[in-house]
Amino acid sequence: MATGPKEEPVPPVQETSVKRLVVGPLDLRLNSSAVHRLLKMLACAMDHEYQPYYKPQPDPVEVPRAPVSQEEVSVLEEFIPTRLTCLTLQKVTVTLNMAEFNLLHTLIPVIMGQKAPPGPVSVPVFQAMRPLPALRFQVDSVNVEHSVPMFAPELINTVSSLSQPSDNLLHHCYTHCYLKVFGVQAGLTCLDSTGGFLPLSPLIPSFSTALYGKLLQMPQYW
């Protein structure tokens, strides 16, 4: 009886997840009104009686692991699936304005949930100041990258059982974060009566920098 050709094993699929988000130009202005709204939202968020949305999960109990075969190690050495998340901000401007009106003695108690003091507030207090000094930060580009192993439990379970894992395997057992900032500068300006800003008087000249950090995945296995 004739038999068909023997089927060859299907090689494992090499997969990688890459997510990229680019935002810009971005103009953020932090003035008195924005500060008051942020403080009110913070006060509302702190004043609650419901259960927290997230509860820390207990660390998983370590179970005895079977010895790792050389074939499994070779497969990992060839390719390890990863998840890469990238966020890029282009042409970012952050402006911190001086307080436009002196109402902190009236607004802070209200924001914190206390009763407003009796008596009307005089109209001249609400008149905006012009020109209004401001501190402005400008950034040409900000790039953030976050890389983690796609199947961390399986990878850590295998690599942590090796007596002398390679540098490549150890590298993929970490969460890696990269921050790159280009063209950072800061200076003083003023908001005029037309709503525009005067030319920047530099305080910090333009510079670029980069930061890197890593965090070991599932440290209880090590």
Side-chain angles (χ1 to χ4, degrees):
M1 181 177 179
T3 59
K6 185 178 180 181
E7 295 184 357
E8 297 181 357
V10 179
V13 178
Q14 296 183 353
E15 54 182 327
T16 300
S17 172
V18 179
K19 298 180 290 292
R20 297 185 184 273
L21 177 63
V22 180
V23 181
L26 189 61
D27 187 5
L28 302 177
R29 299 185 183 184
L30 188 60
N31 51 28
S32 297
S33 298
V35 171
H36 299 158
R37 287 169 173 79
L38 290 174
L39 289 177
K40 183 58 179 179
M41 288 189 293
L42 180 61
C44 293
M46 298 295 293
D47 184 16
H48 64 80
E49 298 178 356
Y50 51 81
Q51 294 295 325
Y53 294 113
Y54 171 77
K55 293 183 179 179
Q57 299 294 328
D59 294 334
V61 179
E62 186 175 357
V63 297
R65 292 164 285 179
V68 181
S69 65
Q70 186 61 36
E71 182 180 357
E72 293 177 326
V73 177
S74 300
V75 171
L76 290 177
E77 289 283 6
E78 182 179 352
F79 182 82
I80 297 178
T82 58
R83 300 184 188 273
L84 178 63
T85 304
C86 303
L87 172 63
T88 302
L89 305 178
Q90 298 284 357
K91 299 298 181 183
V92 181
T93 301
V94 180
T95 305
L96 307 178
N97 291 335
M98 193 182 72
E100 298 181 53
F101 33 75
N102 185 18
L103 290 180
L104 293 181
H105 64 286
T106 304
L107 293 176
I108 289 296
V110 178
I111 292 172
M112 301 307 295
Q114 304 176 12
K115 292 184 178 180
V121 181
S122 59
V123 174
V125 180
F126 289 95
Q127 294 181 355
M129 296 175 53
R130 295 295 185 272
L132 184 66
L135 177 63
R136 169 168 283 193
F137 297 90
Q138 295 178 340
V139 184
D140 290 339
S141 177
V142 179
N143 187 29
V144 181
E145 294 185 2
H146 180 265
S147 175
V148 294
M150 185 173 293
F151 306 106
E154 293 81 359
L155 176 65
I156 302 301
N157 188 24
T158 301
V159 177
S160 62
S161 64
L162 301 176
S163 59
Q164 293 182 343
S166 65
D167 293 340
N168 178 50
L169 294 179
L170 289 176
H171 175 84
H172 286 85
C173 292
Y174 285 82
T175 297
H176 300 272
C177 293
Y178 303 85
L179 172 63
K180 301 176 184 179
V181 185
F182 302 95
V184 184
Q185 60 178 328
L188 294 176
T189 183
C190 284
L191 179 65
D192 58 24
S193 57
T194 63
F197 287 94
L198 300 179
L200 198 68
S201 298
L203 292 177
I204 302 177
S206 178
F207 70 96
S208 301
T209 186
L211 297 175
Y212 165 73
K214 63 180 181 178
L215 180 65
L216 182 65
Q217 289 276 327
M218 304 175 66
Q220 66 272 13
Y221 281 92
W222 305 89

